[in-house]
Amino acid sequence: MDTTLRDGEQTSGVSFSAAEKLTIAQLLLEELNIDRIEIASARVSEGEFQAVKGITSWAEERGYINRIEVLSFVDGGVSIDWMKKAGAKVQNLLTKGSMNHLTHQLKKTPEQHFSEIAQIIALAKENNIETNVYLEDWSNGMRNSPEYVFQFLDFLSTQPIKRILLPDTLGVLIPSLAFEFISKIRAKYPNIHFDFHAHNDYDLSVANVMEAIKAGINGLHVTVNGMGERAGNAPLESTVAVINDYLPEVSINIKETSLYTVSKLVETFTGYRIPANKPIVGDNVFTQTAGIHADGDNKNNLYFNDLLPERFGRKRKYALGKTSGKANIEKNLQELGLKLNQEDLKLVTQRIIELGDKKETVTKEDLPYIISDVLDSHTYEEKIKIESYILVHSKGMRPSTTLCLKFGSEIIEENAQGDGQFDAFMNALSKIYKSKKLTLPKLIDYAVRIPPGSSSDALCETIITWVNNGKEFKTRGLDSDQTVAAIIATQKMLNVIA
Ligand SMILES: CC(=O)SCCNC(=O)CCNC(=O)[C@H](O)C(C)(C)COP(=O)(O)OP(=O)(O)OC[C@H]1O[C@@H](n2cnc3c(N)ncnc32)[C@H](O)[C@@H]1OP(=O)(O)O
């Protein structure tokens, strides 16, 4: 069960619109083949109500309605009423799984709590809503009040419910405890369906999930990119990979090749950046940086493991920097369709190492420039040149640009306005390209940085990511002015696609 749209939305600062929730729900169920999704907490807001309604009407049409779940509360039926109006058919009822929470938060006895729960389950049934029950703080309950947990499970085993959901609400479990607690429960209630809901506070969520599976759990809760309250939940991507590679006794139908697309979409919708080193979906996890690794890949794939990038719709990359060797450079040259003799290759490698030492980022698309610079050869020809430009930025008026572009032997001039100086520049450029019936690549990322520790007059590096005909590439510009650095990066892009 994927709970990106419920627990994932409990990531601080994250809120999905109704349209974003619907798009993610559709991808999770139809593109990835997730069995069930939890999409919201009942009663939260009008916006949430509309989002749930949008998803349930789509799911009803497709015959998926029983795969859509909503978190609900022990509130005398307010949540049931809300869900009914929103068209939801499965509630995940949030109850107290530890004596501590029951006594101090709800201030109820177990008998009072069970009686209220029984009433809600019955009410749900009358309204044609199925019930799963969350035992909130269950993992602490197993540590501090196990007799209460088992008394609760005995009660639930008499109730008309579908599943019991065991959350490690505060992420306190370690693998041995996850195995011990779940084994005990599975042994006592072999005929009940139990889900495990991991949290990642000790960075052990996936390890705990593995132990839960070994202990015989029936279902797992995950989120895209591991989003969720505090340190998040078990990440969908790593959970899928580890199950496929290490737990052959379990079979899942989740489409690995679509994991990256969905992960990136969730990143875009939330604005919550995926760390570059996040397994499976991080920018750097399929990049070989060390020269020895790149060399080993040429010799019987010595530095490959089972997590091949293609499995996840990704590609292996070879970084360029101070730890590069000849092999890294060669791999990048191959992609660009370029070839150098051994002597020149050494010179280019040396230059890239020097640039890396100065903390500069070198991209694959910089290689033609570096080669041209180092070898003073004409390996790289600048077909398109930004001859001159005026950038105007003033208070109370929109930024504007006049641009003069050399296109082979032709010189073309254009003016445009924009939201910022670079935007105005790109609008002028776009006019020129349109006049020549050409299209520019789409700019999908724009990153600016100055070397750490330097002051405001330092060189500024702008790295722009473009997509051209479905192919993504980066270009980089370096200047003391960030717009000029972006324009340098743009001129490189024009020549890459020329
Ligand atoms: C599994 C998890 O991650 S738990 C996360 C659950 N989801 C959320 O909390 C997000 C959605 N929550 C909300 O929108 C709100 O908290 C609401 C609508 C549920 C309640 O809002 P408010 O009435 O303003 O109360 P508030 O949030 O301050 O406090 C929570 C109340 O719920 C009570 N409560 C706690 N657990 C439960 C429960 N399982 N069922 C019913 N009530 C509960 C608390 O005792 C407290 O009641 P009190 O005010 O009488 O002491």
Side-chain angles (χ1 to χ4, degrees):
M1 187 273 266
D2 180 283
T3 179
T4 306
L5 299 177
R6 198 277 296 170
D7 209 331
E9 204 180 20
Q10 286 173 223
T11 308
S12 176
V14 166
S15 171
F16 295 110
S17 70
E20 288 169 347
K21 278 207 169 191
L22 179 61
T23 304
I24 295 172
Q26 290 171 333
L27 283 173
L28 291 172
L29 293 179
E30 294 193 324
E31 183 62 32
L32 285 178
N33 271 334
I34 304 272
D35 290 338
R36 299 145 46 206
I37 56 174
E38 187 177 48
I39 60 169
S41 293
R43 294 171 46 184
V44 161
S45 65
E46 179 54 28
E48 199 69 333
F49 180 78
Q50 294 304 336
V52 172
K53 243 177 129 182
I55 297 175
T56 54
S57 41
W58 165 78
E60 191 77 70
E61 249 173 47
R62 299 283 173 131
Y64 302 152
I65 192 67
N66 292 322
R67 295 164 65 186
I68 308 290
E69 305 178 358
V70 171
L71 183 108
S72 62
F73 305 99
V74 186
D75 54 11
V78 182
S79 295
I80 297 281
D81 195 40
W82 192 95
M83 285 180 57
K84 208 177 146 195
K85 287 188 185 131
K89 294 284 169 56
V90 183
Q91 70 163 336
N92 290 343
L93 181 62
L94 187 70
T95 69
K96 297 303 181 192
S98 73
M99 242 348 233
N100 200 19
H101 275 217
L102 180 63
T103 318
H104 293 104
Q105 198 169 31
L106 291 191
K107 301 188 171 57
K108 300 263 163 82
T109 63
E111 290 69 28
Q112 285 170 321
H113 196 37
F114 300 164
S115 152
E116 288 178 357
I117 292 168
Q119 283 171 26
I120 290 189
I121 295 171
L123 185 67
K125 203 157 182 258
E126 274 169 35
N127 284 287
N128 212 9
I129 291 177
E130 282 180 334
T131 300
N132 301 319
V133 179
Y134 264 116
L135 269 61
E136 193 184 11
D137 201 35
W138 160 79
S139 44
N140 273 322
M142 288 298 283
R143 299 203 302 187
N144 305 327
S145 49
E147 54 306 317
Y148 165 71
V149 175
F150 283 99
Q151 183 192 358
F152 196 174
L153 293 174
D154 282 346
F155 154 71
L156 286 176
S157 65
T158 66
Q159 290 294 308
I161 59 171
K162 201 149 187 207
R163 307 178 183 90
I164 298 180
L165 320 177
L166 304 174
D168 181 15
T169 304
L170 297 174
V172 296
L173 290 182
I174 56 171
S176 56
L177 282 179
F179 183 81
E180 182 192 325
F181 293 165
I182 292 167
S183 300
K184 273 187 189 154
I185 286 180
R186 290 292 296 137
K188 187 141 191 258
Y189 309 96
N191 299 321
I192 296 180
H193 176 117
F194 288 98
D195 279 1
F196 176 55
H197 177 107
H199 272 280
N200 205 28
D201 297 67
Y202 284 99
D203 220 351
L204 287 172
S205 60
V206 177
N208 289 339
V209 158
M210 288 185 79
E211 292 307 298
I213 292 173
K214 288 183 201 154
I217 204 76
N218 308 93
L220 296 168
H221 296 186
V222 291
T223 56
V224 174
N225 299 337
M227 297 184 64
E229 187 104 15
R230 302 184 314 281
N233 293 63
L236 165 69
E237 311 77 34
S238 334
T239 302
V240 167
V242 87
I243 289 176
N244 284 340
D245 291 356
Y246 284 98
L247 296 160
E249 65 273 26
V250 181
S251 75
I252 49 174
N253 301 316
I254 294 168
K255 199 168 147 200
E256 282 189 339
T257 44
S258 297
L259 285 170
Y260 183 60
T261 318
V262 176
S263 155
K264 284 308 252 187
L265 191 82
V266 169
E267 181 187 43
T268 309
F269 285 171
T270 56
Y272 196 75
R273 286 271 170 160
I274 304 167
N277 63 348
K278 185 155 189 63
I280 317 292
V281 290
D283 266 0
N284 290 349
V285 297
F286 296 114
T287 301
Q288 304 281 40
T289 304
I292 290 175
H293 291 189
D295 170 66
D297 283 356
N298 286 335
K299 297 173 178 160
N300 211 18
N301 294 333
L302 292 180
Y303 289 82
F304 281 20
N305 60 20
D306 287 341
L307 294 173
L308 292 173
E310 291 73 20
R311 269 175 65 178
F312 308 101
R314 304 200 57 191
K315 244 180 124 185
R316 181 148 337 265
K317 291 184 188 162
Y318 294 88
L320 298 168
K322 72 174 176 183
T323 57
S324 302
K326 293 189 301 296
N328 295 61
I329 321 286
E330 268 181 322
K331 291 272 188 195
N332 283 282
L333 288 173
Q334 269 165 24
E335 274 218 31
L336 292 168
L338 299 173
K339 217 171 160 34
L340 290 181
N341 64 38
Q342 286 304 308
E343 202 44 46
D344 292 347
L345 188 59
K346 253 194 203 157
L347 288 171
V348 171
T349 308
Q350 200 47 47
R351 171 58 66 88
I352 287 169
I353 292 169
E354 281 163 21
L355 287 169
D357 236 358
K358 288 190 206 151
K359 291 187 182 294
E360 286 186 23
T361 306
V362 183
T363 72
K364 180 179 75 188
E365 285 72 23
D366 285 328
L367 270 177
Y369 299 86
I370 293 171
I371 293 169
S372 159
D373 190 26
V374 172
L375 306 179
D376 194 28
S377 70
H378 299 285
T379 321
Y380 174 73
E381 188 197 346
E382 235 169 34
K383 290 187 199 137
I384 297 168
K385 197 161 171 236
I386 293 164
E387 280 283 290
S388 53
Y389 51 80
I390 306 169
L391 304 173
V392 181
H393 184 92
S394 56
K395 193 176 173 193
M397 290 176 74
R398 293 192 81 203
S400 62
T401 295
T402 303
L403 165 66
C404 207
L405 193 75
K406 189 163 174 228
F407 221 102
S409 55
E410 195 183 351
I411 299 218
I412 314 172
E413 192 179 305
E414 261 305 346
N415 306 298
Q417 291 186 322
D419 294 334
Q421 287 186 81
F422 184 62
D423 189 45
F425 173 88
M426 287 304 290
N427 289 343
L429 185 61
S430 172
K431 277 187 182 174
I432 295 176
Y433 267 63
K434 265 193 197 133
S435 74
K436 299 208 70 81
K437 302 208 178 342
L438 294 169
T439 44
L440 287 171
K442 201 163 167 250
L443 186 159
I444 58 163
D445 196 31
Y446 179 104
V448 181
R449 57 169 217 162
I450 54 170
S454 48
S455 58
S456 62
D457 61 353
L459 274 185
C460 166
E461 185 178 52
T462 305
I463 299 175
I464 307 183
T465 310
W466 313 90
V467 177
N468 192 38
N469 297 329
K471 255 190 99 184
E472 195 178 303
F473 67 97
K474 292 181 200 298
T475 55
R476 163 189 157 278
L478 198 65
D479 193 87
S480 52
D481 180 291
Q482 67 149 293
T483 312
V484 176
I487 290 172
I488 294 169
T490 306
Q491 175 168 290
K492 288 185 188 172
M493 171 276 283
L494 296 176
N495 284 291
V496 168
I497 61 161

